[in-house]
Amino acid sequence: MRRRLVIVGGAVLVVAALAEAVVVARPWEPTVALDAATYVPTTMTPTPSPEATSEQGTDATAGTGPSIVSEAPSSAPPVPPDCSARRPIVPKTFMIDRTGVSSPMLSLGLDGSAPAAPPKNQPYTVGWYRGGPAIGAAKGNAILTAHTYRQGGALGNDLVEGGLQVGDRIRVVGVDGSVQCYTYTGSTKVWVKDYKPGSTVMDNPNGPHQLALVVCWDFDWNTQEWRSRIILYAAPEA
């Protein structure tokens, strides 16, 4: 029987239950208060039912994936010549063309029942959960993790606050030097208190292949806990 993953720890959190909220797929505005009482996505599709609020999400059924708002072009752009044909790789470096990000990557296992995050003293390292689909796989979410710091200064902070824009090219370089290219398509916000462990918002080994990069968000200074996770998705270009 396949082990079910949950959202925990530095980038991913063991919880009893959680519903997904659709987040508009465009650069985050750091001036927007991402608070449960005030945050309302600019765009949501489909219109949520009365039971599915902006905090509790539109994915009210466990095991169903999020509805991603995407602004990607209908026809895929030409794949750059330095991007390899899609095949599974062991990752070494995570890169974003537009911003020049170049972060080391680690192959990680589980932290309890959740994909492990990089060491806490490595703010710009990206983890890949080796127990799930590989980067460059034929199907499924390749789960990545990165840190967010409460005072800023980590990759998660940068990516959510405008460091990723729809259409940005992400390159993952393998230990063998091959390059898998992806296009950022959008993001989903999940509230820890409402998470459904059976959801495919993060752990989806059988859906279309994509990157699913999980970062913490909405730090609560009273409880000293992160109240939500943001999952950033990128589709393969090859």
Side-chain angles (χ1 to χ4, degrees), residues 213-225:
L213 173 56
V214 186
V215 300
C216 296
W217 205 249
D218 291 305
F219 185 74
D220 188 323
W221 291 94
N222 293 320
T223 63
Q224 298 292 294
E225 298 287 344

Side-chain angles (χ1 to χ4, degrees), residues 142-228:
I143 301 173
L144 309 182
T145 56
H147 285 299
T148 306
Y149 285 176
R150 63 190 73 178
Q151 299 286 7
L155 183 61
N157 303 90
D158 295 351
L159 296 181
V160 173
E161 295 176 347
L164 263 181
Q165 298 180 7
V166 169
D168 278 354
R169 175 168 289 123
I170 296 171
R171 300 173 193 259
V172 180
V173 183
V175 294
D176 62 354
S178 63
V179 181
Q180 295 292 307
C181 293
Y182 293 81
T183 299
Y184 175 59
T185 56
S187 61
T188 292
K189 186 177 193 174
V190 274
W191 293 92
V192 169
K193 72 180 185 67
D194 295 325
Y195 179 68
K196 291 180 175 63
S199 171
T200 57
V201 62
M202 175 191 68
D203 181 22
N204 184 7
N206 297 312
H209 178 59
Q210 62 181 347
L211 301 182
L213 173 56
V214 186
V215 300
C216 296
W217 205 249
D218 291 305
F219 185 74
D220 188 323
W221 291 94
N222 293 320
T223 63
Q224 298 292 294
E225 298 287 344
W226 296 93
R227 299 173 59 214
S228 71

Side-chain angles (χ1 to χ4, degrees), residues 5-9 11-15 18 113-115 190 192 195 197 201-202 214 228-229 231:
L5 301 179
V6 298
I7 291 189
V8 245
V12 210
L13 174 116
V14 176
V15 291
L18 191 172
S113 57
V190 274
V192 169
Y195 179 68
V201 62
M202 175 191 68
V214 186
S228 71
R229 301 294 183 270
I231 305 175

Side-chain angles (χ1 to χ4, degrees), residues 10-225:
V12 210
L13 174 116
V14 176
V15 291
L18 191 172
E20 295 81 28
V22 174
V23 177
V24 64
R26 58 191 56 171
W28 286 77
E29 296 179 16
T31 56
V32 174
L34 298 178
D35 177 77
T38 60
Y39 177 73
V40 179
T42 304
T43 304
M44 298 186 74
T45 53
T47 302
S49 65
E51 294 77 24
T53 66
S54 62
E55 178 175 354
Q56 293 178 332
T58 58
D59 181 11
T61 305
T64 59
S67 175
I68 305 301
V69 181
S70 177
E71 298 175 5
S74 56
S75 59
V79 178
D82 58 332
C83 294
S84 308
R86 195 199 308 183
R87 62 182 178 82
I89 64 169
V90 176
K92 179 181 179 182
T93 309
F94 176 92
M95 306 172 72
I96 303 174
D97 284 8
R98 181 178 60 84
T99 60
V101 165
S102 181
S103 295
M105 296 190 70
L106 296 175
S107 174
L108 302 172
L110 289 173
D111 180 3
S113 57
K120 291 183 178 180
N121 64 350
Q122 296 185 28
Y124 284 91
T125 295
V126 176
W128 162 61
Y129 172 55
R130 64 174 175 261
I135 293 164
K139 63 180 182 178
N141 286 356
I143 301 173
L144 309 182
T145 56
H147 285 299
T148 306
Y149 285 176
R150 63 190 73 178
Q151 299 286 7
L155 183 61
N157 303 90
D158 295 351
L159 296 181
V160 173
E161 295 176 347
L164 263 181
Q165 298 180 7
V166 169
D168 278 354
R169 175 168 289 123
I170 296 171
R171 300 173 193 259
V172 180
V173 183
V175 294
D176 62 354
S178 63
V179 181
Q180 295 292 307
C181 293
Y182 293 81
T183 299
Y184 175 59
T185 56
S187 61
T188 292
K189 186 177 193 174
V190 274
W191 293 92
V192 169
K193 72 180 185 67
D194 295 325
Y195 179 68
K196 291 180 175 63
S199 171
T200 57
V201 62
M202 175 191 68
D203 181 22
N204 184 7
N206 297 312
H209 178 59
Q210 62 181 347
L211 301 182
L213 173 56
V214 186
V215 300
C216 296
W217 205 249
D218 291 305
F219 185 74
D220 188 323
W221 291 94
N222 293 320
T223 63
Q224 298 292 294
E225 298 287 344

